Amino acid sequence: MSELEFDPAANADLLDHREDHAPGDEPVESAGHYVFNSNLGLGFSIVLTVAAFVLANSQLIYGPSIPIALLVLAIAQMGVHLVFFLHVTTGPDNTNNVLALAFGLLVVFLIVVGSIWIMNHLHANMMPMPMEQLRQMQP
Amino acid sequence: MSDIPLPAAAETVRRVREDPHRLGHRDPHAHETVEGAGHGKTGPARKRIIVGYGFWIFLLSDIVMFSCFFAAFAVQREATAGGPGISELVDMRRVGWETGALLLSSYTCGLSFAATNVRSKLWTQIFLLATGLLGLIFVGLELLEFVDLASRGIVPQRSGFLSAFFGLVGLHGLHVTLAGMWLLTMMAQVQLKGFRPEIVHRLICFNLFWHALDIVWIGIFTIVYLMGATS
Amino acid sequence: MFGKLSWSAIPFDQPIPLITTLVLVLVILGVLGLVTFKGWWPYLWHEWITSVDHKRIGIMYILLGVVMLVRGFADAIMMRTQQAVAVNAPGYLEPEHYNQIFSAHGTIMIFFAAMPLVIGFMNFVTPLQLGVRDVAFPTMNSVSFWLTASGALLVNISLFIGEFARTGWLPYPPLSETAYSPGVGVDYYLWAVQISGIGTLMTGINFVTTVLKMRCPGMSYLRMPMFCWTTLASSLIIVAVFPILTATLAMLSLDRFFGWHFFTADAGGNPMMFMNLIWAWGHPEVYILVLPAFGIFSEIFSTFSGKPLFGYRSMVAATLFICIVSMMTWLHHFFTMGSGPAVNTAFGISTSIIAVGTGVKIYNWIFTMYGGRVRMSVPMLWSLGFIFTFVIGGMTGVLLAVPPADFLVHNSMFLVAHFHNVIVGGVVFALFAGLDFWFPKAFGFRLHEGWGKAAFWFSFFGFWITFTPLYILGLEGMTRRLQHVNVPEWQPMLILSAIGVGVIAIGVVCQVIMLLVSIIRRDQLRDESGDPWDGRSLEWATPSPAPFFNFATMPNVEGEEAYWGIKTRAIESQRLGPEPKYEPIEMPVHSPVGFFTAAFASVTGFALIWQIWWLAGLGFAAAIAGFVVFAWRDVHEFHVPAEEVAEVDRARRAARQKLLERLAAQEATA
């Protein structure tokens, strides 16, 4: 084997004292900091949730734009969860986590948007069905 | 890097000390090493990093499974076969309570992990118990919702739309139930075995799972219930 | 009490399954009897069944895959012979039976032959090439294997208790719904595939984590062997798409068991959604199979040309490109379902684009050979056969990627010939090449070269004799899955194809003889040094067979082709590196959890199929309980003392010293 043996202590002075960790796992962070993040996360989430419920049940904004607004609020709240509860950030100790998340989101996008796109086109091209036939399709 | 070339021996010593694996200086931060980031300088990562990352990958696969049910719901939203549509299913107050319970449970779960980090068995158990009770409230409310719907004849066997609705919401409820069973096991293990490394690793995974379930619920209550009520 | 199960489930009135069952039962009882008589159970239990060693698990996967490959091939023989004789005649297989055969053939070949074989290679080779001792989650690895075996068991049980699906290997609704498939066949399929699918998903998670987080010191991303990159890409696809399979089959199960309406023809069900989702899984699935095959070829081309792989970075880029784009092409499996020109064009373009990645790889392999000293070993023969076969298969694929052309040949024999062309030429050839290449590392002796070459030539020519007629028949309009044929002009081609299958069968026999002869003559074929092929990657630094801890001390990597650098330095300096300081090693303990989980999964699956609800509930509870019991264990590692490590490694160094002296003597006389 090689002349250079692997000595785990050798790189100790070169090591950045951050280390890669799973989302939500922050062993070197103090408990106070962790709780503060959780509080912030809860606060933001409550605001976003209440906003969504209020928007859905009132006439505050232009009707047809409500679904988009709800989607934006939902994505924002998912982001709040990821950042404040799961600590998924853009630091070098999180690169693997972010890449994996991006990959997962790509797949979700392909499946959901792809399916909707394909099925809509299929639906548009299928023979229109008269009312009696539709009623016959009930179990 | 200085312009003055060092004597060959000193150069070799410096190279061996700074870059024992000849990884070169293509990476401008070559002297910084984040352990476990996978760039190969530090060998295999520690178990805690490996377990956490593996579970994160599993979670992403679970999210993909949910996305299939979301896709089915989106496609079959109008396929009511003459039966009830989404607006007849939504009970806004119940959804509000479910959302509140699950969000709070996510918060208490995070607090339990903070307690684990400072190795406080008491507070870990208290917050885990709170998480479990809030989760139980969520599942209970959802079961009540299903029973209520069934009593009105609104069952998944009625139409494609209802199959997609019960499939998506039911899958999430099933995940919460299984996570609840996992939570009980974790509480027992923490009580009997303390904070051994593998127990802490499992708590990391449990945390991830519980938070992910809340993230999926955000998608469900927005897309299924809120958008459904406003359609 | 026993749900739908009754004595009528056993096919007393069908001679072929009945006789097959009797023969199989006798063989199994014979094997079990032999093992008991020789007292091998403790050894098998402690060393193999409960093993969490990636090498043992890899070998078991490959064994499972080879056995199921033979079963799938038997189905193929039946289909080709039936079609050859059933021209304006009924043939010897009734339609009800024939439909089960082609369904079983596809299901077995994809899920229980190709997948286990590919995963077996990933298991055996990847940790060795990465210079580590095992995968990220060794016990979960064992669970993965046993769940796959459980699925295979269920499929095989369907042969003699009940029936199998008649829907083809992907159970399209409405045919697969209860209304049109009321029997248990589709349920067997669903539970076998679901159970093994969970195992596969766990494998994907395991290998993504292993490749990204567990590499020996100095092995940065761009120093990994190409096979490890393809393992990573394939595992990423597994993680991304197997949940789609699980979800879609779960939806179909809900339809069948509880009368839901995801895919039914009535009440708002949408059968086309099944095709959409199942192919969103199905297309990436074939890339899961072919990417590690490409990895195997990368290793073989560089080793047997005596040169580093040409264009390593472009290979990595091509692999990741294929990984991502493979998830964007799935609609090409149902161009004709009616999504219209916009959608069809988009997916036609993406399908054509993905061929670019593979083209880059083919050129790189050819350029690797150019200027090298090519050795025509058995693995190299399979690799050259692959280049020829796969490129043609790929070209027919690009033809099929053009929607207007596909409208003519969709679901014809042309399609059947295409996908066999790429899977056999790509995946199966790779598996045989890899078997020959890594066999010495697994068992300590090489395979007989003469019989290996015979096996290759018969298989290669047999393949082309079988499938060229099918291309022609497809262009002439013959549809797939025909139990009988009404066009007499097609018979000559069908007969030629059946003859081809016979030639392949001779190839299979040659493989069996090769194995037997190699075992008998293993002392002459012994691999003394651990490096029989003048290898370039780290697995060849270990003895053959590799010790359970793989490496006595984790290697330090200083460049690409880690082992090649170490070897060259040793040869130049005429001595091995200094003896390292031996430390004790912690290795994971063996565990029965995989076996028991799978046993309970099999019981639960069987009970669900036959709707024996109490048994299903019991089996499921037992599986959960078993898992909790496993989670309660206190000891999960065992200690290997430094002296034992030293002893094994000193033997290895002695063998290497002998190799060095032999090479020096060769240099002196040259």
Side-chain angles (χ1 to χ4, degrees), chain C residues 325-576:
Chain C
V325 179
S326 70
M327 292 183 254
M328 300 179 187
T329 59
W330 76 91
L331 187 127
H332 66 233
H333 295 272
F334 49 96
F335 275 138
T336 57
M337 199 154 77
S339 44
V343 173
N344 278 1
T345 311
F347 281 95
I349 292 175
S350 67
T351 309
S352 308
I353 285 178
I354 200 173
V356 173
T358 313
V360 167
K361 288 178 163 272
I362 301 269
Y363 282 120
N364 279 338
W365 288 316
I366 296 175
F367 292 151
T368 304
M369 286 192 285
Y370 179 77
R373 205 180 302 147
V374 177
R375 289 176 277 151
M376 284 300 181
S377 59
V378 173
M380 195 52 160
L381 278 177
W382 286 109
S383 308
L384 292 172
F386 150 79
I387 298 266
F388 177 78
T389 310
F390 188 82
V391 166
I392 295 179
M395 287 198 271
T396 59
V398 177
L399 186 160
L400 287 160
V402 180
D406 187 71
F407 265 74
L408 292 172
V409 287
H410 174 66
N411 272 353
S412 69
M413 293 309 280
F414 188 90
L415 171 70
V416 171
H418 158 71
F419 65 68
H420 281 92
N421 201 338
V422 284
I423 294 187
V424 173
V427 183
V428 178
F429 281 20
L431 298 170
F432 288 137
L435 271 174
D436 203 277
F437 188 54
W438 279 301
F439 191 90
K441 184 54 59 188
F443 296 107
F445 58 96
R446 278 169 288 125
L447 288 168
H448 188 270
E449 187 153 342
W451 284 107
K453 292 191 176 177
F456 165 72
W457 288 111
F458 279 112
S459 304
F460 178 75
F461 281 114
F463 167 81
W464 281 108
I465 300 172
T466 310
F467 287 98
T468 313
L470 299 186
Y471 272 123
I472 297 169
L473 286 172
L475 289 171
E476 290 184 359
M478 180 174 167
T479 328
R480 68 189 291 198
R481 294 176 176 167
L482 294 177
Q483 182 266 346
H484 66 274
V485 169
N486 290 330
V487 181
E489 288 80 19
W490 293 344
Q491 189 162 35
M493 287 288 121
L494 287 168
I495 292 176
L496 186 56
S497 187
I499 293 173
V501 158
V503 177
I504 297 179
I506 299 176
V508 171
V509 170
C510 288
Q511 301 261 28
V512 174
I513 296 177
M514 172 182 75
L515 195 60
L516 290 172
V517 167
S518 309
I519 293 174
I520 293 170
R521 294 206 201 151
R522 60 186 179 280
D523 289 319
Q524 288 118 302
L525 294 163
R526 187 73 57 188
D527 172 19
E528 304 286 351
S529 62
D531 183 8
W533 309 117
D534 199 20
R536 310 179 79 87
S537 45
L538 280 173
E539 75 267 34
W540 305 110
T542 60
S544 291
F548 65 92
F549 47 78
N550 291 354
F551 301 93
T553 48
M554 237 187 267
N556 267 293
V557 173
E558 290 184 2
E560 285 177 31
E561 297 198 321
Y563 174 57
W564 189 256
I566 296 171
K567 193 166 37 173
T568 328
R569 246 200 324 273
I571 293 175
E572 279 167 15
S573 64
Q574 280 302 303
R575 57 182 177 82
L576 303 177

Side-chain angles (χ1 to χ4, degrees), chain C residues 236-257:
Chain C
L236 281 170
I237 305 179
I238 290 177
V239 167
V241 303
F242 261 78
I244 305 176
L245 179 71
T246 309
T248 313
L249 295 184
M251 292 179 197
L252 184 60
S253 303
L254 286 168
D255 277 4
R256 284 182 64 84
F257 278 90

